[in-house]
Amino acid sequence: MSRARVVLSPSTLTVIGEQPMSRSAVWGRNLGGFAVLFAIIAFAFHAFGAAETPSFLMAMKISLVLATIAILLSIRAFGIIWRRGKRGLSSAILGIFYGILLWLVPAGVFAMAIQYPKTTDVITQGHEPLSFLKIEGVRPAWANPVTLDKVMPSPLSRALLTDATSDEVYGIITDMVLDRDWDIVADRPPDEKKPREASLQATETSFAGFTDDIVIEISIEDKQTRVDMRSASRIGTFDLGQNAARIDAFMVNLRQKLNER
């Protein structure tokens, strides 16, 4: 008895398991992966100083738009896979994963931002806003204006008063600034013509490439040397508490140095 042969047609193979890949799933995966890679490259360029902050932020916005499209394509792919039995489930999952991974960054920043005052310019308490010694050629045109009416007093730090001379204090402050790898862009050390006033301006750049401007002023008040400090971010509407934290940490360390002298 002969056994009949069954010829598998292309349509039969499709039913058995050779369904085509969902193009939405592939596009979602590829677009999500590209968005993540694009964001990483933009971050690296910004961190190493090869791209200015506005360009970096624009690149991050573009990556988030691509991530959103990747999520929508992947969600569409889920529907196609469910209804038509096409392949590509793992690609659709990857597309959503890449998209959510990118959106976690601004979501995390927003979650932290609401915990701090909305400010980018902070000064020690009990002092009129300090003016920066040099703005032209230091602070870019795209940076926030350093207008005196935008300055907020630090929640914790007050001006430091000490019996040390202004020369001693200025020397300690200079060493502290250099130890922190801040870049000194302008200074006005104490001299005989202006013994009651000295200033130092510096910048600090974070690991991510964001630069903040700092000015420290030394003055004489009731025969004591007084130290005030101002720290301002260059871009944005909030600083995640970084400027106040920088002032607090510096003033605490300065008190320790003065006590040890």
Side-chain angles (χ1 to χ4, degrees):
M1 181 177 178
S2 62
R3 187 177 294 178
R5 296 181 61 187
V6 178
V7 179
L8 298 179
S9 66
S11 59
T12 307
L13 288 172
T14 299
V15 172
I16 290 175
E18 292 297 326
Q19 286 281 15
M21 180 78 74
S22 167
R23 286 183 296 178
S24 294
V26 174
W27 273 101
R29 178 198 64 196
N30 293 346
L31 198 59
F34 175 78
V36 171
L37 180 62
F38 185 67
I40 292 173
I41 292 174
F43 179 86
F45 270 68
H46 187 246
F48 287 99
E52 288 193 331
T53 300
S55 300
F56 166 67
L57 294 178
M58 178 58 68
M60 292 303 297
K61 290 178 181 177
I62 293 172
S63 68
L64 288 174
V65 171
L66 296 177
T68 303
I69 296 173
I71 291 174
L72 295 176
L73 285 171
S74 298
I75 292 174
R76 181 175 184 271
F78 276 119
I80 293 173
I81 292 168
W82 177 261
R83 293 193 310 270
R84 304 180 189 176
K86 288 189 176 183
R87 294 182 297 121
L89 180 61
S90 59
S91 294
I93 292 173
L94 268 179
I96 290 179
F97 171 76
Y98 289 141
I100 292 176
L101 185 66
L102 269 178
W103 270 106
L104 284 176
V105 177
V109 171
F110 176 77
M112 291 188 292
I114 60 178
Q115 302 177 41
Y116 297 98
K118 190 177 180 181
T119 182
T120 59
D121 201 342
V122 181
I123 190 173
T124 47
Q125 295 182 31
H127 195 284
E128 295 180 358
L130 307 177
S131 298
F132 287 95
L133 297 175
K134 186 177 180 183
I135 296 297
E136 190 75 26
V138 175
R139 199 169 169 94
W142 48 260
N144 292 331
V146 285
T147 52
L148 302 183
D149 60 325
K150 299 291 185 181
V151 186
M152 178 179 288
S154 171
L156 298 177
S157 288
R158 297 181 179 275
L160 183 148
L161 292 172
T162 177
D163 293 328
T165 66
S166 58
D167 286 303
E168 288 179 299
V169 175
Y170 186 84
I172 293 173
I173 287 175
T174 302
D175 291 339
M176 289 175 60
V177 167
L178 295 176
D179 288 342
R180 283 167 164 73
D181 292 325
W182 295 355
D183 295 320
I184 298 176
V185 297
D187 64 337
R188 187 171 58 199
D191 58 35
E192 294 181 357
K193 295 180 180 179
K194 295 182 178 179
R196 299 180 59 83
E197 186 177 311
S199 300
L200 183 148
Q201 182 178 333
T203 60
E204 181 183 18
T205 303
S206 67
F207 169 77
F210 293 98
T211 300
D212 295 336
D213 294 283
I214 304 150
V215 61
I216 305 168
E217 183 183 88
I218 300 170
S219 58
I220 305 299
E221 182 179 288
D222 297 331
K223 298 182 180 180
Q224 285 188 304
T225 302
R226 173 175 175 143
V227 181
D228 286 279
M229 185 173 178
R230 179 182 178 185
S231 180
S233 303
R234 290 188 174 180
I235 200 165
T237 58
F238 54 85
D239 63 4
L240 302 178
Q242 292 301 308
N243 288 303
R246 176 182 294 113
I247 292 175
D248 295 340
F250 190 90
M251 297 303 255
V252 168
N253 193 201
L254 178 57
R255 287 187 179 90
Q256 292 173 343
K257 296 285 186 182
L258 289 169
N259 291 334
E260 292 171 0
R261 80 185 196 284

